[in-house]
Amino acid sequence: MGEAPLRSNKPSSGAKAAVETVLANGMPSHEIPSTWTPSSWTTKPIKQDVIYDDRGAVERALAKLERLPPLVTPTEICKLKKSLRDVALGKAFLLQGGKSEFYVEVMDGANNLPGDCAELFDYCEEDSIESKIKLLLQMSLVLIWGINKPVVRIARMAGQFAKPRSSPTEVVDGKEVPSFRGDILNGYPLSERKPDPSRLVSAYFHSAATLNYIRAALASGIADLHSPMNWGLGHVQSKNIKAKYRSIVESITESLAFMRTVGADTASNALETVDLFTSHEGLLLDYEQSLTRHLRNPTNNSTAAPSDPATSSERGWYNTSAHFLWIGDRTRQLNGAHVEYFRGLENPIGIKVGPSMKDDELVKLLDIVNPNKEIGKVTLITRYGENKVDDLLAPHIEAVKQSGHVVVWQCDPMHGNTRSTPTGVKTRQFSSILNEVASALKIHRDHGSFLGGVHLELTGEAVTECVGGSEGLTDEDLSQNYTSYCDPRLNEKQALELAFLIAGHYRREGFGRR
């Protein structure tokens, strides 16, 4: 393990072009290192780096990725930026979620704890993708009913294949082996733990296939608002939740019938499909750099700040692996490689904000990644925990307000509320998840701010991984259908129940009535 971490130190063709442009414009050579390019992150210290044995295989994989077409387009990315601007201004709500699972022990001998859960290549199949789409549609319908605002939908899928770890190795059966770091790097079986460069290309094609089916399903009417009962209620057995959902559907059906009767149902296409964007943590920078392209800005791009060079340039640097990427809590160092890479992207980005984030550090981070203070460019994903949100959120809100940045505030009530049972099984209390969201809603309102959205780990399957809720699941019930070996997820019933509770909170408080 003494070999230096392998990076793609050779700049991509796009990065070379950027440097040549700088030289042509007469900028002194000593200033070039401070100029952003897709590869300038290689000059910075990096966390969560990867060591490969075969340097030639890595270079061939990255060269292949550079030749492959973009997975998403600047038009789609800028459309999301425009929607997130509305979220930052309190005009819309952000729902971000997905089904992630990660096959590791709860805690190994090296105390190797996972961060956000990773997507598996095996999830690239029809039923898995479709169930996730339908659950996000159901939740967004409930939220629209309660909040009376548009809902922006971002799925944690089609690229969330990498996994941050606290240690590059772990102990299994008394033997030290490389940690499993997600399908994009290595496999879970011990025989597949060595990082494999070919998985980089495989990750691209699994993302492409997932995106292709998402687009096909949406184009085929899966999100048609005329038939929301076709989304199904899967494993939900609660008569109360089913009755609430059917009541909302009946109300929408009556409204659509009235619009059709009076001839107002002319924008039928708007009722037959929705926008669904993709996201993942931008962890593996070699991969992200290879899919970063210097592309023409959309002609109708109205999201850039007036002082943004993008307004006077025909092209910008877009990460085309996903519409939205975030920086994890482990990789947000101010002088680190990940912050350096993210600061040059046109994409909207997220930053995980945990208990260790200092007020001044947060402001400095925003100044680096969003110097022109584009509204909604950055989403701050807070993950404090039920017992810490009251002490930590308010100072962060005030620091950001004083800085002049207008961000999307998003609550991740999952990761700060994880605990282990006496037998070592990881779980989350449903009431703790709800309490952190409720506290965030109140704190934002008290400080003249907006809670713009929620960031959830969920599944459409009837798993028993989070305790509590109307089902009354207890620690003893976890063994019934606990299929995640990492972070516990809300099942379909709990996810819908949370959506109803959030929606009900808005309706009672009148947050969405403007």
Side-chain angles (χ1 to χ4, degrees):
M1 301 297 291
E3 180 185 354
L6 173 61
R7 299 178 184 169
S8 178
N9 289 316
K10 181 178 69 174
S12 66
S13 57
K16 290 179 180 177
V19 173
E20 290 171 358
T21 300
V22 170
L23 291 173
N25 290 336
M27 182 174 288
S29 59
H30 65 84
E31 295 184 16
I32 292 176
S34 64
T35 301
W36 189 90
T37 71
S39 62
S40 59
W41 62 269
T42 61
T43 67
K44 303 286 186 176
I46 189 170
K47 300 287 186 180
Q48 301 291 322
D49 208 358
V50 185
I51 298 175
Y52 291 97
D53 291 339
D54 189 342
R55 184 177 298 270
V58 176
E59 295 296 339
R60 288 190 294 274
L62 297 178
K64 172 69 172 177
L65 289 172
E66 287 190 1
R67 294 193 301 270
L68 291 168
L71 291 172
V72 299
T73 68
T75 297
E76 294 171 334
I77 292 169
C78 289
K79 189 173 186 178
L80 175 58
K81 284 181 72 174
K82 185 176 180 180
S83 296
L84 290 176
R85 188 180 193 275
D86 288 340
V87 175
L89 295 174
K91 299 177 181 178
F93 193 83
L94 171 60
L95 173 62
Q96 186 173 9
K99 178 174 67 174
S100 299
E101 187 173 338
F102 187 60
Y103 292 97
V104 298
E105 295 300 322
V106 175
M107 181 180 293
D108 58 39
N111 227 15
N112 196 0
L113 300 178
D116 284 354
C117 278
E119 184 180 3
L120 301 177
F121 287 168
D122 285 347
Y123 291 165
C124 185
E125 55 92 21
E126 179 183 359
D127 290 342
S128 179
I129 298 170
E130 198 167 285
S131 66
K132 188 183 302 182
I133 294 174
K134 289 179 177 179
L135 182 53
L136 288 173
L137 291 172
Q138 290 171 331
M139 293 184 70
S140 62
L141 184 64
V142 172
L143 291 169
I144 292 170
W145 165 78
I147 301 173
N148 198 29
K149 295 178 182 179
V151 170
V152 181
R153 306 163 188 85
I154 302 181
R156 287 168 44 111
M157 62 192 300
Q160 178 66 1
F161 298 125
K163 194 61 189 122
R165 301 303 301 273
S166 57
S167 172
T169 62
E170 60 185 348
V171 177
V172 179
D173 296 331
K175 180 181 178 182
E176 185 178 13
V177 298
S179 299
F180 175 50
R181 301 178 63 179
D183 278 350
I184 193 172
L185 291 175
N186 58 359
Y188 177 70
L190 296 182
S191 60
E192 300 176 11
R193 290 296 181 93
K194 184 172 75 173
D196 180 0
S198 69
R199 288 176 171 268
L200 296 167
V201 178
S202 185
Y204 171 93
F205 284 112
H206 280 86
S207 296
T210 300
L211 271 165
N212 179 68
Y213 187 71
I214 291 173
R215 290 179 171 128
L218 292 174
S220 299
I222 192 175
D224 192 343
L225 198 55
H226 293 92
S227 307
M229 286 306 297
N230 289 347
W231 301 338
L233 288 174
H235 305 286
V236 175
Q237 301 299 322
S238 170
K239 293 181 179 179
N240 185 39
I241 291 179
K242 286 185 175 181
K244 285 182 177 180
Y245 184 75
R246 288 196 176 98
S247 176
I248 295 175
V249 170
E250 289 172 2
S251 176
I252 291 171
T253 302
E254 290 176 2
S255 298
L256 292 177
F258 174 79
M259 291 170 62
R260 190 179 304 112
T261 300
V262 301
D265 190 19
T266 56
S268 59
N269 185 60
L271 302 174
E272 293 171 0
T273 189
V274 298
D275 292 318
L276 181 61
F277 302 98
T278 60
S279 67
H280 63 258
E281 180 179 354
L283 184 64
L284 192 57
L285 295 185
D286 282 319
Y287 179 83
E288 304 299 347
Q289 175 189 328
S290 298
L291 290 170
T292 303
R293 309 292 164 81
H294 202 218
L295 301 175
R296 188 175 300 277
N297 293 316
T299 56
N300 61 343
N301 179 17
S302 60
T303 62
S307 60
D308 193 332
T311 59
S312 58
S313 174
E314 292 186 355
R315 293 176 177 269
W317 289 104
Y318 293 88
N319 181 302
T320 65
S321 69
H323 302 102
F324 178 97
L325 294 94
W326 72 83
I327 305 174
D329 200 43
R330 299 175 188 268
T331 54
R332 55 172 174 76
Q333 295 77 23
L334 295 177
N335 193 43
H338 288 81
V339 171
E340 168 64 20
Y341 171 76
F342 271 73
R343 76 178 180 90
L345 298 178
E346 295 290 340
N347 304 61
I349 63 172
I351 300 173
K352 286 294 184 85
V353 179
S356 63
M357 178 77 82
K358 305 300 182 184
D359 298 349
D360 60 341
E361 180 187 11
L362 178 56
V363 172
K364 290 176 183 177
L365 194 51
L366 288 172
D367 288 340
I368 293 171
V369 299
N370 189 22
N372 295 308
K373 298 185 178 179
E374 289 185 65
I375 297 175
K377 159 85 174 184
V378 179
T379 295
L380 296 180
I381 310 167
T382 60
R383 42 167 296 177
Y384 305 115
E386 175 191 16
N387 297 323
K388 297 180 180 180
V389 60
D390 289 340
D391 295 329
L392 299 175
L393 178 55
H396 283 159
I397 292 174
E398 291 301 324
V400 172
K401 284 173 61 178
Q402 293 175 18
S403 74
H405 287 276
V406 181
V407 303
V408 173
W409 287 98
Q410 187 183 37
C411 177
D412 171 2
M414 308 294 290
H415 288 91
N417 292 302
T418 306
R419 66 174 178 85
S420 294
T421 68
T423 58
V425 179
K426 291 177 67 176
T427 188
R428 289 161 173 154
Q429 190 75 34
F430 184 81
S431 60
S432 297
I433 294 169
L434 176 62
N435 287 342
E436 182 164 357
V437 175
S439 294
L441 284 164
K442 181 180 183 301
I443 293 168
H444 276 286
R445 188 181 193 188
D446 291 347
H447 288 265
S449 179
F450 304 99
L451 177 62
V454 290
H455 186 116
L456 305 172
E457 285 185 318
L458 49 85
T459 175
E461 300 168 6
V463 299
T464 53
E465 298 170 0
C466 293
V467 298
S470 61
E471 291 179 296
L473 292 178
T474 66
D475 289 0
E476 288 71 29
D477 298 318
L478 295 175
S479 61
Q480 293 179 14
N481 192 25
Y482 196 109
T483 62
S484 174
Y485 289 83
C486 176
D487 287 353
R489 303 157 296 172
L490 298 171
N491 58 34
E492 183 183 23
K493 178 180 178 180
Q494 291 169 325
L496 280 173
E497 186 176 352
L498 181 62
F500 273 113
L501 291 170
I502 295 173
H505 186 92
Y506 270 94
R507 289 179 76 87
R508 288 191 305 273
E509 299 293 331
F511 286 7
R513 305 298 188 263
R514 298 194 177 276

